[in-house]
Amino acid sequence: MLLLTQEMVDRFNAALHAARIVGELEPTAMVLATSDGQGHITSRTVLLKALDTNGFVFFTNTTSNKGRQLKTNPRASATFLWKANESQVQLAGRVEQVSDEEADAYFATRDRGSQIGAWASLQSQPLASRELLEQRVREFESKYEGMEVKRPDYWTGFRLQPEMMEFWQGRKFRLHDRFRYVQENDQWVMLRLYP
Ligand SMILES: Cc1cc2nc3c(=O)[nH]c(=O)nc-3n(C[C@H](O)[C@H](O)[C@H](O)COP(=O)(O)O)c2cc1C
């Protein structure tokens, strides 16, 4: 597997920083598309929580719809849209689960309410009522009263390791700039594409 270059990571971080500066509200939000073995595609927003040359990390519930799809087909695509400065980054590649140590370390940084929420939510399963969810929250609050909340086994991170990464910048008259990084002969090559 070819890692990202530091230059690609720096370029992404510069684009993220630019989006922050112009006031993008959720600059780390990315729309993540996954699919099952039959080619049914689904997408939803998740937050980017870590990035280095190994890839883009997000956290979720492995029993959720996306978690089940990623188990069957460990590939995904993700798109960051930064409307405030007409900018977009697209990724596509393989996805792997992060180590338990990495998941534990991130889980420990979450506020207690979100840690309890990870236990209370059977993500993507039908929920009969809001009261039931609130009751489950109370149950886990009392279970963990006075204790550290441990990470549920089914809640972890995934690392998207891009095989393609594209930077898009809006320009006048729809003559936008597109720079796509692709892998050729075990090296990253950058192509400029027509908008
Ligand atoms: C701004 C925003 C950020 C979100 N971040 C996450 C996230 O980091 N992890 C997550 O599991 N769900 C996150 N969600 C909820 C997901 O979009 C989605 O509803 C949930 O993960 C269930 O998706 P699934 O049924 O397709 O698996 C976020 C939603 C929004 C709107």
Side-chain angles (χ1 to χ4, degrees):
M1 199 215 48
L2 191 57
L3 298 183
L4 297 173
T5 63
Q6 191 56 46
E7 185 229 317
M8 292 164 77
V9 172
D10 292 346
R11 189 170 188 161
F12 178 87
N13 282 331
L16 179 64
H17 181 66
R20 262 202 188 103
I21 287 187
V22 294
E24 194 69 55
L25 289 180
E26 285 282 17
T28 61
M30 54 178 170
V31 175
L32 178 84
T34 54
S35 71
D36 64 13
Q38 277 76 52
H40 301 112
I41 303 165
T42 59
S43 65
R44 80 292 290 153
T45 308
V46 294
L47 297 180
L48 173 68
K49 291 297 176 183
L51 167 64
D52 60 22
T53 54
N54 292 300
F56 293 71
V57 177
F58 59 92
F59 290 85
T60 194
N61 183 318
T62 55
T63 66
S64 66
N65 186 39
K66 76 181 93 46
R68 282 180 280 117
Q69 288 196 333
L70 286 171
K71 193 163 184 190
T72 316
N73 177 18
R75 305 191 70 84
S77 138
T79 301
F80 294 85
L81 166 64
W82 297 310
K83 274 174 86 173
N85 59 349
E86 289 184 64
S87 173
Q88 169 181 266
V89 172
Q90 284 173 269
L91 319 166
R94 293 192 65 80
V95 174
E96 63 163 33
Q97 222 172 290
V98 304
S99 68
D100 286 348
E101 293 73 34
E102 195 171 343
D104 287 341
Y106 173 66
F107 191 75
T109 68
R110 303 189 92 205
D111 60 60
R112 197 174 171 85
S114 305
Q115 292 176 335
I116 294 286
W119 281 103
S121 173
L122 305 173
Q123 196 177 58
S124 312
Q125 293 186 31
L127 170 63
S129 67
R130 178 87 205 170
E131 290 72 56
L132 181 56
L133 177 62
E134 287 167 5
Q135 183 195 320
R136 285 178 58 83
V137 168
R138 285 192 298 275
E139 279 167 20
F140 284 105
E141 273 169 352
S142 63
K143 178 172 176 190
Y144 283 105
E145 201 175 342
M147 289 160 59
E148 198 178 300
V149 182
K150 86 171 191 53
R151 176 179 63 88
D153 288 345
Y154 56 76
W155 192 96
T156 188
F158 288 93
R159 175 173 284 108
L160 171 51
Q161 302 169 317
E163 291 167 350
M164 183 287 289
M165 186 166 173
E166 183 189 310
F167 292 85
W168 186 102
Q169 180 60 57
R171 300 279 302 266
K172 246 184 171 175
F173 307 123
R174 306 242 153 106
L175 301 176
H176 316 301
D177 281 330
R178 294 178 67 186
F179 296 101
R180 178 177 288 202
Y181 291 83
V182 293
Q183 299 183 359
E184 267 179 33
N185 303 324
D186 263 351
Q187 283 198 354
W188 285 105
V189 181
M190 193 188 75
L191 311 168
R192 184 190 265 273
L193 302 182
Y194 280 98

Short mmCIF file of all heavy atoms in Angstrom, two decimals, residues 48-87:
data_model
loop_
_atom_site.label_atom_id
_atom_site.label_comp_id
_atom_site.label_asym_id
_atom_site.label_seq_id
_atom_site.Cartn_x
_atom_site.Cartn_y
_atom_site.Cartn_z
N LEU A 48 -13.78 14.11 10.49
CA LEU A 48 -12.38 13.70 10.44
C LEU A 48 -11.74 13.95 11.81
O LEU A 48 -11.84 15.06 12.35
CB LEU A 48 -11.64 14.53 9.39
CG LEU A 48 -10.12 14.34 9.33
CD1 LEU A 48 -9.77 12.94 8.81
CD2 LEU A 48 -9.49 15.41 8.45
N LYS A 49 -11.12 12.93 12.37
CA LYS A 49 -10.53 13.09 13.71
C LYS A 49 -9.01 12.99 13.72
O LYS A 49 -8.38 13.37 14.71
CB LYS A 49 -11.12 12.05 14.68
CG LYS A 49 -12.57 12.31 14.98
CD LYS A 49 -12.76 13.65 15.69
CE LYS A 49 -14.20 13.98 15.93
NZ LYS A 49 -14.37 15.30 16.55
N ALA A 50 -8.42 12.44 12.69
CA ALA A 50 -6.95 12.38 12.63
C ALA A 50 -6.53 12.21 11.18
O ALA A 50 -7.27 11.63 10.37
CB ALA A 50 -6.44 11.19 13.45
N LEU A 51 -5.37 12.76 10.89
CA LEU A 51 -4.82 12.62 9.53
C LEU A 51 -3.31 12.60 9.61
O LEU A 51 -2.70 13.45 10.26
CB LEU A 51 -5.27 13.80 8.66
CG LEU A 51 -4.53 13.96 7.32
CD1 LEU A 51 -4.76 12.77 6.41
CD2 LEU A 51 -4.96 15.25 6.62
N ASP A 52 -2.71 11.63 8.93
CA ASP A 52 -1.27 11.65 8.68
C ASP A 52 -1.06 10.88 7.38
O ASP A 52 -2.03 10.59 6.67
CB ASP A 52 -0.47 11.08 9.87
CG ASP A 52 -0.82 9.65 10.20
OD1 ASP A 52 -1.34 8.94 9.31
OD2 ASP A 52 -0.58 9.22 11.33
N THR A 53 0.18 10.54 7.07
CA THR A 53 0.43 9.89 5.77
C THR A 53 -0.23 8.51 5.67
O THR A 53 -0.34 7.96 4.59
CB THR A 53 1.95 9.77 5.50
OG1 THR A 53 2.54 9.09 6.60
CG2 THR A 53 2.59 11.13 5.32
N ASN A 54 -0.71 7.97 6.80
CA ASN A 54 -1.43 6.68 6.77
C ASN A 54 -2.88 6.83 6.33
O ASN A 54 -3.52 5.83 5.99
CB ASN A 54 -1.41 6.03 8.15
CG ASN A 54 -0.02 5.60 8.53
OD1 ASN A 54 0.59 4.79 7.84
ND2 ASN A 54 0.50 6.18 9.60
N GLY A 55 -3.42 8.03 6.42
CA GLY A 55 -4.79 8.21 5.97
C GLY A 55 -5.66 9.04 6.90
O GLY A 55 -5.18 9.66 7.85
N PHE A 56 -6.97 9.03 6.59
CA PHE A 56 -7.98 9.87 7.23
C PHE A 56 -8.80 9.03 8.21
O PHE A 56 -9.43 8.05 7.79
CB PHE A 56 -8.91 10.45 6.17
CG PHE A 56 -8.25 11.43 5.24
CD1 PHE A 56 -7.33 11.02 4.28
CD2 PHE A 56 -8.56 12.78 5.30
CE1 PHE A 56 -6.71 11.92 3.43
CE2 PHE A 56 -7.95 13.70 4.45
CZ PHE A 56 -7.03 13.27 3.52
N VAL A 57 -8.84 9.43 9.47
CA VAL A 57 -9.51 8.61 10.50
C VAL A 57 -10.83 9.24 10.95
O VAL A 57 -10.89 10.44 11.24
CB VAL A 57 -8.58 8.43 11.72
CG1 VAL A 57 -9.29 7.66 12.83
CG2 VAL A 57 -7.29 7.73 11.31
N PHE A 58 -11.87 8.40 11.00
CA PHE A 58 -13.15 8.81 11.58
C PHE A 58 -13.58 7.71 12.55
O PHE A 58 -13.08 6.58 12.48
CB PHE A 58 -14.22 9.04 10.50
CG PHE A 58 -14.50 7.83 9.66
CD1 PHE A 58 -15.52 6.94 9.99
CD2 PHE A 58 -13.74 7.55 8.53
CE1 PHE A 58 -15.77 5.80 9.22
CE2 PHE A 58 -13.98 6.42 7.76
CZ PHE A 58 -14.99 5.55 8.11
N PHE A 59 -14.53 8.04 13.43
CA PHE A 59 -14.97 7.07 14.44
C PHE A 59 -16.45 6.81 14.30
O PHE A 59 -17.23 7.72 13.97
CB PHE A 59 -14.63 7.58 15.84
CG PHE A 59 -13.15 7.55 16.11
CD1 PHE A 59 -12.34 8.60 15.72
CD2 PHE A 59 -12.56 6.43 16.69
CE1 PHE A 59 -10.96 8.56 15.92
CE2 PHE A 59 -11.19 6.38 16.90
CZ PHE A 59 -10.38 7.45 16.52
N THR A 60 -16.83 5.58 14.57
CA THR A 60 -18.25 5.22 14.44
C THR A 60 -18.53 3.89 15.11
O THR A 60 -17.68 3.32 15.79
CB THR A 60 -18.66 5.20 12.94
OG1 THR A 60 -20.09 5.18 12.86
CG2 THR A 60 -18.07 3.99 12.20
N ASN A 61 -19.76 3.43 14.91
CA ASN A 61 -20.23 2.18 15.49
C ASN A 61 -20.12 1.10 14.41
O ASN A 61 -20.67 1.26 13.32
CB ASN A 61 -21.70 2.42 15.90
CG ASN A 61 -22.32 1.24 16.59
OD1 ASN A 61 -22.13 0.11 16.19
ND2 ASN A 61 -23.09 1.52 17.63
N THR A 62 -19.42 0.02 14.71
CA THR A 62 -19.20 -1.01 13.67
C THR A 62 -20.48 -1.77 13.32
O THR A 62 -20.53 -2.44 12.30
CB THR A 62 -18.15 -2.05 14.13
OG1 THR A 62 -18.58 -2.59 15.38
CG2 THR A 62 -16.78 -1.43 14.26
N THR A 63 -21.51 -1.67 14.20
CA THR A 63 -22.76 -2.37 13.89
C THR A 63 -23.74 -1.47 13.13
O THR A 63 -24.84 -1.87 12.81
CB THR A 63 -23.45 -2.89 15.17
OG1 THR A 63 -23.88 -1.76 15.95
CG2 THR A 63 -22.52 -3.75 16.00
N SER A 64 -23.32 -0.22 12.85
CA SER A 64 -24.18 0.69 12.09
C SER A 64 -24.24 0.22 10.63
O SER A 64 -23.49 -0.68 10.23
CB SER A 64 -23.59 2.11 12.12
OG SER A 64 -22.35 2.13 11.42
N ASN A 65 -25.07 0.87 9.86
CA ASN A 65 -25.17 0.52 8.45
C ASN A 65 -23.80 0.65 7.76
O ASN A 65 -23.33 -0.26 7.09
CB ASN A 65 -26.22 1.43 7.79
CG ASN A 65 -26.47 1.02 6.35
OD1 ASN A 65 -26.51 -0.17 6.04
ND2 ASN A 65 -26.60 1.99 5.48
N LYS A 66 -23.14 1.80 8.00
CA LYS A 66 -21.82 1.99 7.36
C LYS A 66 -20.81 0.97 7.86
O LYS A 66 -19.99 0.45 7.10
CB LYS A 66 -21.31 3.42 7.59
CG LYS A 66 -20.78 3.68 8.98
CD LYS A 66 -20.31 5.09 9.19
CE LYS A 66 -21.38 6.00 9.76
NZ LYS A 66 -22.16 5.47 10.92
N GLY A 67 -20.89 0.65 9.18
CA GLY A 67 -19.96 -0.32 9.76
C GLY A 67 -20.12 -1.69 9.12
O GLY A 67 -19.14 -2.36 8.79
N ARG A 68 -21.38 -2.07 8.91
CA ARG A 68 -21.64 -3.39 8.29
C ARG A 68 -21.19 -3.38 6.83
O ARG A 68 -20.63 -4.35 6.35
CB ARG A 68 -23.12 -3.76 8.44
CG ARG A 68 -23.43 -4.27 9.86
CD ARG A 68 -24.87 -4.66 10.08
NE ARG A 68 -25.69 -3.48 10.30
CZ ARG A 68 -26.67 -3.07 9.52
NH1 ARG A 68 -27.00 -3.76 8.45
NH2 ARG A 68 -27.34 -1.99 9.80
N GLN A 69 -21.44 -2.28 6.16
CA GLN A 69 -21.01 -2.21 4.75
C GLN A 69 -19.48 -2.28 4.66
O GLN A 69 -18.93 -2.95 3.80
CB GLN A 69 -21.54 -0.94 4.09
CG GLN A 69 -23.05 -1.02 3.85
CD GLN A 69 -23.54 0.03 2.87
OE1 GLN A 69 -22.95 1.10 2.74
NE2 GLN A 69 -24.64 -0.25 2.20
N LEU A 70 -18.82 -1.58 5.57
CA LEU A 70 -17.34 -1.56 5.52
C LEU A 70 -16.76 -2.94 5.82
O LEU A 70 -15.68 -3.27 5.34
CB LEU A 70 -16.78 -0.52 6.49
CG LEU A 70 -16.95 0.92 6.01
CD1 LEU A 70 -16.55 1.90 7.12
CD2 LEU A 70 -16.12 1.19 4.75
N LYS A 71 -17.49 -3.71 6.60
CA LYS A 71 -17.02 -5.06 6.89
C LYS A 71 -17.10 -5.92 5.61
O LYS A 71 -16.19 -6.69 5.31
CB LYS A 71 -17.89 -5.68 7.99
CG LYS A 71 -17.29 -6.91 8.55
CD LYS A 71 -17.90 -7.27 9.87
CE LYS A 71 -17.15 -8.48 10.40
NZ LYS A 71 -17.74 -9.08 11.54
N THR A 72 -18.20 -5.77 4.87
CA THR A 72 -18.38 -6.54 3.64
C THR A 72 -17.45 -6.03 2.54
O THR A 72 -16.88 -6.79 1.78
CB THR A 72 -19.83 -6.38 3.12
OG1 THR A 72 -20.70 -6.51 4.21
CG2 THR A 72 -20.18 -7.39 2.07
N ASN A 73 -17.35 -4.72 2.46
CA ASN A 73 -16.59 -4.11 1.36
C ASN A 73 -15.74 -2.97 1.94
O ASN A 73 -16.24 -1.86 2.09
CB ASN A 73 -17.57 -3.58 0.30
CG ASN A 73 -16.84 -2.86 -0.83
OD1 ASN A 73 -15.63 -3.02 -1.01
ND2 ASN A 73 -17.56 -2.06 -1.58
N PRO A 74 -14.51 -3.26 2.31
CA PRO A 74 -13.69 -2.25 3.02
C PRO A 74 -13.13 -1.18 2.09
O PRO A 74 -11.92 -0.95 2.03
CB PRO A 74 -12.58 -3.09 3.65
CG PRO A 74 -12.45 -4.28 2.78
CD PRO A 74 -13.79 -4.54 2.15
N ARG A 75 -14.04 -0.51 1.39
CA ARG A 75 -13.64 0.58 0.51
C ARG A 75 -14.62 1.71 0.72
O ARG A 75 -15.79 1.49 1.03
CB ARG A 75 -13.67 0.15 -0.96
CG ARG A 75 -12.85 -1.07 -1.28
CD ARG A 75 -12.73 -1.27 -2.79
NE ARG A 75 -11.90 -0.23 -3.37
CZ ARG A 75 -10.57 -0.27 -3.41
NH1 ARG A 75 -9.93 -1.31 -2.94
NH2 ARG A 75 -9.88 0.73 -3.91
N ALA A 76 -14.16 2.94 0.55
CA ALA A 76 -15.05 4.09 0.74
C ALA A 76 -14.56 5.27 -0.07
O ALA A 76 -13.41 5.30 -0.53
CB ALA A 76 -15.10 4.48 2.22
N SER A 77 -15.46 6.21 -0.22
CA SER A 77 -15.09 7.48 -0.82
C SER A 77 -15.58 8.56 0.15
O SER A 77 -16.55 8.35 0.87
CB SER A 77 -15.73 7.58 -2.21
OG SER A 77 -16.23 8.85 -2.42
N ALA A 78 -14.88 9.67 0.21
CA ALA A 78 -15.29 10.75 1.10
C ALA A 78 -15.10 12.09 0.40
O ALA A 78 -14.16 12.25 -0.39
CB ALA A 78 -14.47 10.72 2.39
N THR A 79 -16.01 13.01 0.70
CA THR A 79 -15.92 14.35 0.10
C THR A 79 -16.05 15.41 1.19
O THR A 79 -17.01 15.38 1.97
CB THR A 79 -17.05 14.56 -0.93
OG1 THR A 79 -16.92 13.56 -1.95
CG2 THR A 79 -16.96 15.93 -1.59
N PHE A 80 -15.11 16.30 1.22
CA PHE A 80 -15.19 17.50 2.06
C PHE A 80 -15.68 18.62 1.17
O PHE A 80 -15.10 18.86 0.10
CB PHE A 80 -13.80 17.91 2.58
CG PHE A 80 -13.19 16.93 3.54
CD1 PHE A 80 -12.48 15.83 3.06
CD2 PHE A 80 -13.31 17.11 4.90
CE1 PHE A 80 -11.89 14.93 3.94
CE2 PHE A 80 -12.73 16.21 5.80
CZ PHE A 80 -12.03 15.12 5.31
N LEU A 81 -16.74 19.31 1.60
CA LEU A 81 -17.22 20.49 0.86
C LEU A 81 -17.03 21.69 1.75
O LEU A 81 -17.56 21.73 2.87
CB LEU A 81 -18.70 20.32 0.50
CG LEU A 81 -19.38 21.62 0.04
CD1 LEU A 81 -18.78 22.12 -1.27
CD2 LEU A 81 -20.88 21.40 -0.12
N TRP A 82 -16.28 22.66 1.28
CA TRP A 82 -16.09 23.91 2.01
C TRP A 82 -16.71 25.01 1.18
O TRP A 82 -16.04 25.62 0.31
CB TRP A 82 -14.59 24.13 2.28
CG TRP A 82 -14.01 23.04 3.15
CD1 TRP A 82 -14.50 22.58 4.33
CD2 TRP A 82 -12.83 22.27 2.89
NE1 TRP A 82 -13.70 21.58 4.83
CE2 TRP A 82 -12.66 21.37 3.97
CE3 TRP A 82 -11.88 22.24 1.85
CZ2 TRP A 82 -11.60 20.47 4.04
CZ3 TRP A 82 -10.82 21.35 1.93
CH2 TRP A 82 -10.70 20.47 3.02
N LYS A 83 -18.00 25.23 1.44
CA LYS A 83 -18.77 26.17 0.61
C LYS A 83 -18.23 27.59 0.70
O LYS A 83 -18.23 28.32 -0.27
CB LYS A 83 -20.23 26.19 1.08
CG LYS A 83 -21.05 25.11 0.43
CD LYS A 83 -22.43 25.08 1.01
CE LYS A 83 -23.36 26.05 0.31
NZ LYS A 83 -24.75 25.89 0.78
N ALA A 84 -17.80 27.94 1.94
CA ALA A 84 -17.44 29.34 2.18
C ALA A 84 -16.29 29.81 1.29
O ALA A 84 -16.22 30.99 0.98
CB ALA A 84 -17.08 29.53 3.66
N ASN A 85 -15.43 28.91 0.88
CA ASN A 85 -14.39 29.34 -0.07
C ASN A 85 -14.35 28.48 -1.33
O ASN A 85 -13.31 28.31 -1.95
CB ASN A 85 -13.00 29.45 0.59
CG ASN A 85 -12.55 28.13 1.18
OD1 ASN A 85 -13.34 27.20 1.28
ND2 ASN A 85 -11.29 28.04 1.56
N GLU A 86 -15.53 27.94 -1.68
CA GLU A 86 -15.70 27.20 -2.93
C GLU A 86 -14.57 26.19 -3.14
O GLU A 86 -13.83 26.24 -4.13
CB GLU A 86 -15.71 28.15 -4.12
CG GLU A 86 -16.96 28.99 -4.20
CD GLU A 86 -16.95 29.84 -5.45
OE1 GLU A 86 -16.96 29.25 -6.55
OE2 GLU A 86 -16.88 31.07 -5.32
N SER A 87 -14.48 25.30 -2.20
CA SER A 87 -13.38 24.35 -2.26
C SER A 87 -13.90 22.96 -1.91
O SER A 87 -14.88 22.82 -1.18
CB SER A 87 -12.33 24.86 -1.26
OG SER A 87 -11.30 23.96 -1.11
#
